């Protein structure tokens, strides 16, 4: 009998994430060695870092690492983990390896909300989120609510109806964004850059905001991973084995939608993370969601931190939108996945 979870792989992925994050805070216009960055971070641990304080680093390097780079690295890690976990859950719920976190139109709703904030010049803030982030969060949640209402004609709800409703509403919202841009040419570049994703405005408050959702969402998914495994047998078989498939789908879709809305509100729209990361994890570790969910969390975090580091350093001092970097990896992988599926059908 196989063990449901491998602590060796979990610790290996945790170590990989730590190394990637430590490297990320060391790279930038002000070059620091990995050892120096580690010691600076070590200083922030109460009762541990004091003996290792090195005066030659100075307050400037400490500010660069702790106040500028670390919030960005942590926020990108949380965002990558959130998108990868939701992608894993959606692929399990919809029984489709091509499902991704934006499949229900969350990104279009967030983009419309962000566009509205930019055009109206709203100036509210809450918990580190400015008007654009708050409007994006609200737009994403309202979109999911609309998709759910459209897809639920009676008591039940099906995955097919959800996907169709999500596609239709996403198309409608995208058309509304294009219409707004037609009358506000001066904001086109700003909206476009937001839709490509960026962590340039990262802060500790945003990281804390998203961290709460990531912890809660991952805990919910982990607790239901065994039932999600049973759903891989098919909806009818799962019902015969005592799984309330309808309730499980509703809870997972609701939590997933809120988690994606929170991630999009702090980072903009970043594609392909939730598609390729859980798919790669399944290839390596198998279909058991008790493994896929935590491994996807760590692998997604490491992947997006690496992509964001490349985005801000490849064309320095110009910063490339992180969504462009993830698309450079994700689009070829997606095409290869489609060709593989077509070959199997043939």
């Amino acid at each position: 009998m196989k063990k449901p979870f491998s602590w060796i792989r979990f610790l290996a992925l945790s170590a990989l994430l730590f190394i990637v994050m430590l490297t990320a805070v060391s790279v930038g216009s002000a070059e620091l060695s990995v050892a120096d960055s580690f010691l600076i971070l070590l200083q922030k641990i109460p009762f541990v870092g004091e003996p290792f304080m090195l005066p030659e680093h100075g307050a400037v390097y400490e500010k660069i690492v702790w106040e500028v780079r670390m919030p960005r690295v942590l926020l990108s890690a949380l965002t990558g983990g959130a998108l990868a976990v939701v992608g894993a859950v959606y692929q399990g719920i919809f029984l489709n390896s091509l499902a991704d976190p934006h499949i229900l139109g969350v990104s279009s709703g967030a983009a419309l909300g962000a566009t509205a904030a930019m055009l109206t010049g709203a100036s509210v803030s809450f918990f580190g989120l400015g008007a654009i982030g708050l409007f994006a969060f609200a737009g994403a949640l309202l979109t999911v609510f609309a998709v759910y209402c459209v897809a639920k004609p009676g008591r039940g709800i099906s995955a097919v109806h959800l996907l169709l409703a999500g596609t239709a509403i996403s198309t409608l919202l995208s058309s509304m964004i294009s219409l707004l841009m037609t009358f506000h040419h001066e904001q086109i570049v700003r909206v476009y850059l937001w839709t490509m994703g960026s962590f340039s405005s990262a802060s500790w408050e945003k990281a804390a905001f998203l961290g709460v959702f990531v912890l809660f969402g991952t805990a919910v998914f982990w607790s239901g991973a065994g039932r999600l495994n049973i759903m891989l047998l098919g909806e009818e078989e799962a019902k015969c084995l005592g799984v309330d498939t309808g309730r499980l789908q509703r809870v997972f879709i609701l939590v997933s939608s809120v988690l994606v809305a929170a991630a999009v509100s702090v980072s903009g729209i970043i594609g392909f993370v939730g598609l390729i990361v859980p798919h790669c994890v399944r290839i390596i570790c198998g279909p058991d969601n008790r493994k896929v969910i935590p491994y996807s969390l760590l692998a997604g975090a490491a992947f997006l931190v690496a992509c964001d580091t490349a985005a801000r350093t490849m064309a320095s001092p110009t910063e490339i939108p992180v969504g462009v970097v993830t698309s450079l990896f994700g689009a070829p992988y997606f095409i290869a996945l489609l060709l593989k599926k077509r070959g199997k059908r043939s």
Side-chain angles (χ1 to χ4, degrees), residues 191-226:
V191 173
Y192 171 77
L193 290 176
W194 187 89
T195 59
M196 294 306 295
S198 175
F199 296 104
S200 58
S201 62
S203 65
W204 285 108
E205 290 81 4
K206 288 183 179 180
F209 169 81
L210 182 56
V212 172
F213 288 95
V214 172
L215 288 175
F216 173 76
T218 304
V220 173
F221 299 147
W222 173 258
S223 66

Side-chain angles (χ1 to χ4, degrees), residues 7-322:
W7 283 105
I8 295 178
R9 285 179 175 171
F10 183 82
L11 293 175
L13 282 172
S14 299
L16 174 64
L17 175 59
F18 176 77
I19 292 171
V20 171
M21 293 179 68
L22 188 59
T23 303
V25 298
S26 304
V27 176
S29 55
E31 291 289 343
L32 287 88
S33 68
V34 173
D36 288 344
S37 297
F38 178 70
L39 290 176
I40 290 174
L41 294 176
L42 201 61
Q43 295 171 15
K44 299 299 179 179
I45 302 177
F47 309 110
V48 175
E50 292 182 3
F52 298 96
M53 294 183 68
L54 299 178
E56 59 267 30
H57 287 153
V60 175
Y61 281 173
E62 184 177 350
K63 186 173 184 178
I64 290 173
V65 170
W66 186 251
E67 297 183 18
V68 178
R69 293 180 183 172
M70 194 60 200
R72 177 167 183 157
V73 169
L74 182 58
L75 188 63
S76 61
L78 290 169
T79 303
L83 295 176
V85 165
V86 172
V89 170
Y90 275 174
Q91 289 169 14
I93 290 176
F94 297 119
L95 300 177
N96 188 341
S97 60
L98 301 181
D100 82 323
H102 305 293
I103 198 169
L104 298 184
V106 175
S107 59
S108 297
L112 181 60
T115 302
M118 295 177 195
L119 298 183
T120 58
S123 58
V124 295
S125 62
F126 175 75
F127 211 80
L129 289 182
I132 296 175
L134 291 174
F135 275 57
F137 186 66
L141 292 182
L142 289 174
T143 300
V144 173
F145 178 75
V147 169
Y148 188 82
C149 290
V150 171
K152 190 181 179 184
R155 293 183 177 180
I157 186 170
S158 70
V160 174
H161 289 158
L162 274 174
L163 297 178
L164 292 175
T167 301
I169 291 179
S170 179
T171 303
L172 173 63
L173 296 179
S174 297
S175 300
M176 293 173 65
I177 295 171
S178 299
L179 183 62
L180 289 173
M181 290 298 95
T182 302
F183 298 104
H184 298 85
H185 294 284
E186 69 281 359
Q187 295 288 353
I188 290 179
V189 174
R190 191 179 178 193
V191 173
Y192 171 77
L193 290 176
W194 187 89
T195 59
M196 294 306 295
S198 175
F199 296 104
S200 58
S201 62
S203 65
W204 285 108
E205 290 81 4
K206 288 183 179 180
F209 169 81
L210 182 56
V212 172
F213 288 95
V214 172
L215 288 175
F216 173 76
T218 304
V220 173
F221 299 147
W222 173 258
S223 66
R227 285 170 290 169
L228 189 60
N229 283 343
I230 298 176
M231 285 190 63
L232 296 177
L233 301 174
E235 190 168 345
E236 294 301 323
E237 288 80 358
K239 288 181 179 178
C240 293
L241 293 173
V243 177
D244 187 346
T245 57
R247 183 175 181 275
L248 185 66
Q249 285 180 339
R250 288 192 297 271
V251 171
F252 273 25
I253 289 173
L254 174 62
V255 175
S256 296
S257 301
V258 173
L259 184 52
V260 174
V264 170
S265 68
V266 299
S267 67
I269 301 171
I270 300 174
F272 292 106
V273 178
L275 171 66
I276 65 177
V277 171
H279 194 266
C280 290
V281 169
R282 281 193 171 90
I283 292 176
I284 298 172
C285 304
D288 188 347
N289 286 291
R290 292 172 295 180
K291 300 177 183 178
V292 172
I293 289 174
Y295 296 166
S296 295
L297 177 71
L298 297 173
F303 174 73
L304 195 54
V305 169
C307 288
D308 183 56
T309 304
R312 64 181 173 85
T313 57
M314 281 196 307
S316 182
T318 303
E319 183 174 314
I320 302 172
V322 67

